[in-house]
Amino acid sequence: MKKEITRLQTNARMSQVVVAGGVVYLAGQVPMTQHATITEQTIEVLKQIDGLLESAGVDKTHLLTANIWLSDARYFDEFNRIWDVWVPEGNAPTRACVQSPLMRAGFDVEIAVTALA
């Protein structure tokens, strides 16, 4: 039996969303606005995640995992202030958060999540 795979917002390089085996996988999301504050970038990325989850028919209460990259560890506390408000109480996913240089100057946060379909 062939398993169905649904890809959304796909181009030659990647899909923003893949749904397979009852799981929704989101590509890493970065802000559209470079050189904004970490608070502004985080809010922007979380809104993008909300929209992509909605396009797959789920919301953040279905989150399973989150992988977070910050360009500098000094942003950790400020990032968490926004994250903690965004995550629905009782529905926190597993999470990893690391410091890593990001692919474009001025990007200070990237987040990739998975959710139950």
Side-chain angles (χ1 to χ4, degrees):
M1 176 194 299
K2 183 177 180 181
K3 300 284 184 178
E4 184 175 328
I5 299 172
T6 303
R7 292 176 174 85
L8 305 172
Q9 297 187 34
T10 300
N11 62 32
R13 180 172 293 158
M14 62 185 286
S15 297
Q16 290 295 319
V17 181
V18 173
V19 182
V23 178
V24 178
Y25 302 88
L26 266 58
Q29 299 301 303
V30 295
M32 302 303 261
T33 308
Q34 293 173 273
H35 305 292
T37 68
I38 189 65
T39 294
E40 293 165 332
Q41 289 188 29
T42 301
I43 290 168
E44 187 176 339
V45 168
L46 294 175
K47 284 181 183 178
Q48 289 170 208
I49 289 171
D50 285 334
L52 290 169
L53 290 172
E54 183 179 339
S55 75
V58 299
D59 63 28
K60 60 190 171 188
T61 64
H62 289 87
L63 290 178
L64 299 171
T65 64
N67 292 303
I68 302 155
W69 297 267
L70 298 175
S71 65
D72 194 307
R74 68 187 163 105
Y75 296 135
F76 187 68
D77 291 337
E78 189 175 347
F79 170 84
N80 280 328
R81 280 192 285 280
I82 305 304
W83 176 264
D84 291 346
V85 171
W86 180 78
V87 172
E89 187 174 337
N91 292 286
T94 63
R95 185 182 117 159
C97 184
V98 300
Q99 177 179 315
S100 175
L102 299 180
M103 294 309 295
R104 290 202 173 124
F107 286 166
D108 294 314
V109 62
E110 182 170 349
I111 304 172
V113 301
T114 61
L116 190 62

